[in-house]
Amino acid sequence: MKIVDLVRRTLADAALVGNRRWASQGDIAFAARCSVAAVYQATRHLSEIGAIHKYGQGGLSVTDPERVVTTLAASRTLRRDVLASTSLDGAQHLISTCDAYALGGTDAALHHLGGPNTVADKGQRLIYVPPGTGLDELPDGSDVLVLPLDAPAARDWKDGFSSPAQTFADLFALPGWQATEFRRALWRKLFAVDDWSNAEVG
């Protein structure tokens, strides 16, 4: 995943739980485990489109979480990050041998939506594993894509699922009608209510 997207994901996920204001770009860099220069690059376009508001002292507020998530989703490319693809049985075995992992895609969407699955068949699945995980013995298959679990994700995704912003971006990048249906359902939960009245504008 590109560094600028890690920054956007950090901003988006924090904003989605109500944490919109950052005291400095250094704080964002620390949270995303990147350089301040990367934060500047990632936030420049967000500022231009009004998704964030920058303060003279160096801090910023996310004024439109939907635009931050949309920008993240628009730049997401799964093909660049896929480590392997395997069968459902292969993925189950992988999970049983991993020290850490997170389910993504439609599994994560269903988790964030809550309740029983009334959306669609799950289709192609995603699983995140730490770099260096042994994948040579995985059986061939296309049911599950295996992706790298980056350091901020390993720290923050304590529930075993990709974060809401990452999940939306991954569903946006996945082909198939199932991913589309889950993405639309997740959007309705995250953004159905007008956000402007709650946005910080400085």
Side-chain angles (χ1 to χ4, degrees), residues 173-189:
L174 269 174
W177 67 271
Q178 297 98 331
T180 297
E181 291 302 311
F182 276 97
R183 176 176 54 81
R184 288 173 174 167
L186 188 58
W187 183 93
R188 287 192 292 269
K189 178 169 184 178

Side-chain angles (χ1 to χ4, degrees), residues 23 43-45 80 101 103 121 135 140 147 152 168 200:
T43 57
R44 183 170 51 192
H45 179 61
R80 180 175 49 236
Y101 69 89
L103 300 180
D121 177 77
L135 304 175
D140 292 335
L147 300 162
F168 187 90
E200 293 182 22

Side-chain angles (χ1 to χ4, degrees), residues 84 133-140:
T133 299
L135 304 175
D136 293 340
E137 302 301 320
L138 280 180
D140 292 335

Side-chain angles (χ1 to χ4, degrees), residues 43-160:
T43 57
R44 183 170 51 192
H45 179 61
L46 297 177
S47 179
E48 290 172 353
I49 65 174
I52 64 172
H53 176 80
K54 291 187 175 182
Y55 298 98
Q57 301 88 346
L60 64 82
S61 287
V62 175
T63 55
D64 191 344
E66 182 182 359
R67 291 196 193 192
V68 181
V69 173
T70 301
T71 303
L72 172 65
S75 66
R76 182 64 168 135
T77 304
L78 288 171
R79 183 178 62 244
R80 180 175 49 236
D81 291 343
V82 170
L83 301 173
S85 61
T86 189
S87 63
L88 287 173
D89 287 342
Q92 288 287 350
H93 176 72
L94 180 61
I95 287 173
S96 70
T97 61
C98 273
D99 293 333
Y101 69 89
L103 300 180
T106 55
D107 287 294
L110 187 59
H111 169 74
H112 295 305
L113 291 168
N117 183 5
T118 60
V119 180
D121 177 77
K122 290 183 179 179
Q124 193 173 45
R125 320 278 277 276
L126 303 179
I127 179 172
Y128 286 86
V129 298
T133 299
L135 304 175
D136 293 340
E137 302 301 320
L138 280 180
D140 292 335
S142 59
D143 297 324
V144 183
L145 300 180
V146 182
L147 300 162
L149 184 70
D150 57 71
R155 178 195 63 210
D156 297 334
W157 298 353
K158 299 302 185 184
D159 57 5

